[in-house]
Amino acid sequence: MDETVLLGHGSGGTMMKRIIDEVFFEAYADKELLEGNDAARLPQEPGRVAFSTDSFVVTPHFFPGGDIGRLAVCGTVNDVATSGAIPKYLSCGFILEEGFPMEDLKRICQTMAEVAREAGVHIVTGDTKVVNRGHGDGVFINTSGVGFIPEGIDLSGAYCKPGDKILVTGTLGDHGITIMACREDLSFNADVATDAAPLNHLIQEVIAAAPDTRCFRDPTRGGLASTLNELADQSGVDFVVEEDAIPVKDAVRGACEMLGYDVYQVANEGKMVCVVPADQAEAALAAMKSNVYGKDAAIIGEVLVSPEGRDPRVSLKTGFGTMRIMDMLVGEQLPRIC
Amino acid sequence: MDETVLLGHGSGGTMMKRIIDEVFFEAYADKELLEGNDAARLPQEPGRVAFSTDSFVVTPHFFPGGDIGRLAVCGTVNDVATSGAIPKYLSCGFILEEGFPMEDLKRICQTMAEVAREAGVHIVTGDTKVVNRGHGDGVFINTSGVGFIPEGIDLSGAYCKPGDKILVTGTLGDHGITIMACREDLSFNADVATDAAPLNHLIQEVIAAAPDTRCFRDPTRGGLASTLNELADQSGVDFVVEEDAIPVKDAVRGACEMLGYDVYQVANEGKMVCVVPADQAEAALAAMKSNVYGKDAAIIGEVLVSPEGRDPRVSLKTGFGTMRIMDMLVGEQLPRIC
């Protein structure tokens, strides 16, 4: 096998066949993928189809707790799962830069295969393109996901109602601060690592425990603040969250203070925001806490009526008891975080 | 609206919301997409699911007869359609380079919307990432597609049988030579333009006319030669095709001769190779010719038994009556053709 990626690996000819056989099939050889046709043919399933896509351009490609491959599988699995669907199939499109080390590519594919197994999804179709040196950045990955929504499940960011409780499944800001620390070569006393994780099983467990769950949304780019603003906007309601209730690791909070980042705008890759009716909030919280990825889950606030005549609003009740507006991220805080 | 793409447009915050609202929703505002959730929720459909993905990195982005957006929609529609599926939904992931002109992005989205309408598919979910100047190449697009395979339809590249006829839906090499001519600033006496086209309707018409059709495959990267070798390999049969029967435009043949390209290894973006039982070949051909994208269709050869003890082989009967092996493309002839 060649030591680096060459233009010919994206040619459609025998070199491409070799990279497919020796790298991609070697890592994640699913039956449908191996059939060798242009489209994977998948069994008929009951339920509505959920479909989502995400491209990953994070830099660096490897960081504490994961790599671009872990993000690529978790990101799309989680996006599909937020609809209440059981994610089943992933596609995987690589855009490689000429000269990218083949060993790195193999390592990334290995990670993808491991996370896919954990999530219970199959990588069934793929594509490889190679761009000339200097016209890409090592590796970009697109994953798209297909899942099926079980009968009776209907979640949407538009369903939040006044009185509902707002939960998060764990500590915020870990992923963004990890990437930033890698880039700036900062080190922490405490271990900070990406939180990237497949949350599809956790979501199904919460729905089983709290059947009237309104919605899940993963606070990735733009962080908690942007996600809450999106949901408030979609549902036409106000949100209020309490600073003291929002779980943030000390090391992450310290890094944010030192560097001037708003932790609520920092990206997460293994967390969910979840809105449930008040009488099911404790059940939802217990379900989260019993999952390995939800042990730091918390109820962080509630949904309020949005007064007529102004836009829906997200407010933060600070530790000092004052209120401030929690705004959506405007520009860019940490580019290429995922 | 900003005149160029900025890093903040990939942030997950308000700038990203603006590019989504003003560029993407403006061009292709489908109901499911507009719902604003992370995954599109699509109605249940009968039939097996077909799923495919493709990234597009072609350079230049605009060329005679189309642009990267036209390729991105046609490529995935065609890949899904080769399975016999009716393509229904597309995802669209953009990787934009900081500084890319917003006008160009709008033009590309407009093209995508037009071709999607023609193909009858809906763009229902998307993603936007922005990479720093010098770490991308203007615009890369990933599209993934979902379709449904009608009851009773079962196509695969593994189904070719000795005696079957091999057809192509039109002239070969147009796309590759168009791109090459753009890059090298060559001009032809005759008009040569990309053939990129959505072929899903044509495929369904052929299946209706020739119900025992074995398979379709689009001869994109690697051209006719690579596609025929893939199919021969998958089915364990030999193929023989006749040079005089293979439709090639004079201008394309001339350019290939002048530049030393093998026209059978040059990429096409709006053509299909199709294998059908001999007694349905004329019906399949008539169906192709009655479609606007199949008027130059031809029967180009047939499937033979592959002798035991050697690998399946594709042979070309030349205009002089001699036979030569038609090899798969090995390295890279024209990088970044799609």
Side-chain angles (χ1 to χ4, degrees):
Chain A
M1 191 72 206
D2 308 285
E3 281 186 14
T4 61
V5 171
L6 306 171
L7 280 173
H9 288 123
S11 65
T14 54
M15 281 181 68
M16 189 162 95
K17 197 163 176 307
R18 203 161 70 225
I19 197 175
I20 292 174
D21 286 345
E22 296 182 17
V23 179
F24 303 124
F25 280 176
E26 185 65 26
Y28 38 74
D30 271 305
K31 199 175 110 298
E32 291 81 7
L33 188 67
L34 279 168
E35 238 184 35
N37 291 309
D38 279 344
R41 297 184 302 167
L42 311 168
Q44 189 165 359
E45 302 256 359
R48 297 172 66 186
V49 175
F51 184 29
S52 191
T53 194
D54 229 333
S55 301
F56 296 84
V57 301
V58 67
T59 168
H61 302 122
F62 300 93
F63 38 82
D67 60 29
I68 189 173
R70 184 167 176 90
L71 291 194
V73 173
C74 295
T76 293
V77 161
N78 291 347
D79 279 348
V80 170
T82 55
S83 68
I86 317 279
K88 296 281 287 230
Y89 304 109
L90 289 189
S91 66
C92 176
F94 282 95
I95 298 176
L96 302 169
E97 185 187 4
E98 187 186 12
F100 187 67
M102 202 59 84
E103 273 314 310
D104 286 358
L105 182 61
K106 284 186 182 170
R107 210 175 132 195
I108 289 165
C109 291
Q110 212 51 56
T111 309
M112 294 182 75
E114 281 165 28
V115 190
R117 261 195 303 277
E118 182 188 343
V121 299
H122 301 270
I123 300 172
V124 294
T125 184
D127 176 61
T128 314
K129 292 292 186 310
V130 182
V131 296
N132 330 56
R133 207 181 284 265
H135 293 271
D137 203 2
V139 55
F140 300 143
I141 306 177
N142 175 282
T143 51
S144 300
V146 168
F148 299 90
I149 305 173
E151 191 72 40
I153 290 186
D154 182 21
L155 307 181
S156 170
Y159 294 166
C160 307
K161 292 186 181 61
D164 289 350
K165 296 291 183 188
I166 304 160
L167 291 81
V168 291
T169 61
T171 56
L172 295 174
D174 301 34
H175 177 71
I177 293 302
T178 301
I179 298 298
M180 196 273 306
C182 276
R183 285 196 208 147
E184 306 298 330
D185 218 7
L186 296 180
S187 62
F188 297 107
N189 287 330
D191 285 340
V192 179
T194 181
D195 58 348
L199 300 176
N200 51 320
H201 302 311
L202 179 147
I203 285 176
Q204 289 300 320
E205 289 153 21
V206 171
I207 292 173
D212 297 314
T213 296
R214 313 295 189 204
C215 63
F216 291 92
R217 180 75 51 93
D218 50 344
T220 52
R221 286 177 291 173
L224 178 71
S226 297
T227 295
L228 293 180
N229 274 283
E230 274 174 34
L231 294 177
D233 206 48
Q234 252 185 293
S235 290
V237 293
D238 277 12
F239 280 12
V240 60
V241 292
E242 298 205 25
E243 188 156 43
D244 289 345
I246 301 174
V248 179
K249 286 185 178 135
D250 288 341
V252 171
R253 194 182 298 279
C256 283
E257 279 169 11
M258 191 173 73
L259 296 158
Y261 290 124
D262 179 344
V263 68
Y264 307 126
Q265 294 188 340
V266 174
N268 311 276
E269 291 292 331
K271 296 295 151 46
M272 283 284 160
V273 170
C274 171
V275 179
V276 299
D279 61 356
Q280 297 180 10
E282 286 301 332
L285 182 66
M288 286 175 190
K289 280 176 174 290
S290 68
N291 184 292
V292 61
Y293 296 126
K295 58 186 172 39
D296 298 320
I299 299 173
I300 62 166
E302 63 181 333
V303 180
L304 304 177
V305 175
S306 188
E308 294 256 351
R310 70 153 169 80
D311 286 339
R313 176 180 291 176
V314 179
S315 304
L316 178 77
K317 199 176 188 176
T318 67
F320 309 105
T322 59
M323 296 284 267
R324 73 164 173 91
I325 301 293
M326 193 187 240
D327 262 335
M328 205 163 173
L329 178 64
V330 177
E332 180 59 288
Q333 199 173 16
L334 288 166
R336 301 184 57 189
I337 203 72
C338 63
Chain B
M1 191 73 208
D2 308 286
E3 281 186 14
T4 62
V5 171
L6 306 170
L7 280 173
H9 288 123
S11 65
T14 54
M15 279 180 69
M16 190 164 94
K17 197 164 175 307
R18 204 162 68 225
I19 197 176
I20 292 174
D21 286 345
E22 296 183 16
V23 179
F24 303 124
F25 280 177
E26 184 64 27
Y28 39 75
D30 271 303
K31 198 175 110 304
E32 290 81 10
L33 187 67
L34 279 169
E35 237 183 36
N37 291 309
D38 279 345
R41 297 184 302 167
L42 311 168
Q44 188 165 0
E45 302 256 358
R48 298 174 66 185
V49 175
F51 184 29
S52 190
T53 194
D54 230 333
S55 300
F56 296 84
V57 300
V58 66
T59 170
H61 301 122
F62 299 93
F63 38 81
D67 61 31
I68 188 172
R70 185 169 177 89
L71 291 194
V73 173
C74 295
T76 293
V77 161
N78 291 346
D79 280 348
V80 170
T82 56
S83 67
I86 317 279
K88 296 281 287 234
Y89 304 109
L90 290 188
S91 67
C92 176
F94 282 95
I95 298 176
L96 303 170
E97 184 187 8
E98 188 185 12
F100 188 67
M102 202 59 83
E103 273 312 309
D104 287 359
L105 182 60
K106 285 187 182 171
R107 206 174 134 196
I108 289 165
C109 290
Q110 211 51 57
T111 308
M112 294 181 75
E114 280 166 28
V115 190
R117 259 195 304 277
E118 183 188 343
V121 299
H122 301 269
I123 300 172
V124 293
T125 185
D127 176 60
T128 314
K129 293 292 188 305
V130 181
V131 297
N132 330 55
R133 207 181 286 265
H135 293 271
D137 204 3
V139 55
F140 300 142
I141 306 177
N142 176 282
T143 51
S144 300
V146 168
F148 299 90
I149 304 173
E151 191 70 41
I153 289 187
D154 182 20
L155 307 181
S156 171
Y159 293 166
C160 306
K161 292 186 182 63
D164 289 350
K165 296 291 184 188
I166 304 159
L167 291 82
V168 290
T169 60
T171 56
L172 295 173
D174 301 34
H175 177 70
I177 292 302
T178 301
I179 298 297
M180 196 273 306
C182 276
R183 286 196 206 147
E184 307 298 330
D185 219 8
L186 295 179
S187 61
F188 296 110
N189 287 331
D191 285 338
V192 179
T194 182
D195 58 349
L199 300 176
N200 51 321
H201 301 310
L202 178 147
I203 286 175
Q204 290 300 322
E205 289 155 19
V206 170
I207 292 173
D212 297 313
T213 296
R214 312 298 190 202
C215 63
F216 291 91
R217 181 75 50 95
D218 50 342
T220 52
R221 284 177 292 172
L224 178 71
S226 297
T227 294
L228 293 179
N229 274 284
E230 274 173 36
L231 295 176
D233 207 48
Q234 253 185 291
S235 290
V237 293
D238 278 12
F239 280 12
V240 59
V241 292
E242 299 205 25
E243 189 157 43
D244 289 346
I246 301 173
V248 179
K249 286 184 178 137
D250 287 341
V252 170
R253 193 182 299 279
C256 284
E257 280 170 10
M258 191 171 72
L259 297 158
Y261 290 122
D262 179 346
V263 68
Y264 306 126
Q265 295 188 339
V266 173
N268 310 276
E269 291 291 332
K271 298 291 150 50
M272 283 284 160
V273 171
C274 171
V275 180
V276 298
D279 61 355
Q280 297 179 10
E282 287 299 334
L285 182 66
M288 286 175 191
K289 281 177 174 289
S290 69
N291 184 292
V292 61
Y293 295 126
K295 58 185 174 38
D296 298 321
I299 299 172
I300 62 166
E302 65 183 331
V303 180
L304 304 177
V305 175
S306 187
E308 295 255 352
R310 69 153 170 81
D311 287 339
R313 177 179 289 175
V314 179
S315 305
L316 178 76
K317 198 174 187 178
T318 68
F320 309 106
T322 58
M323 295 284 265
R324 74 164 173 91
I325 301 291
M326 192 187 243
D327 262 335
M328 205 161 171
L329 179 64
V330 177
E332 180 58 287
Q333 200 172 19
L334 288 168
R336 301 185 57 188
I337 203 72
C338 63

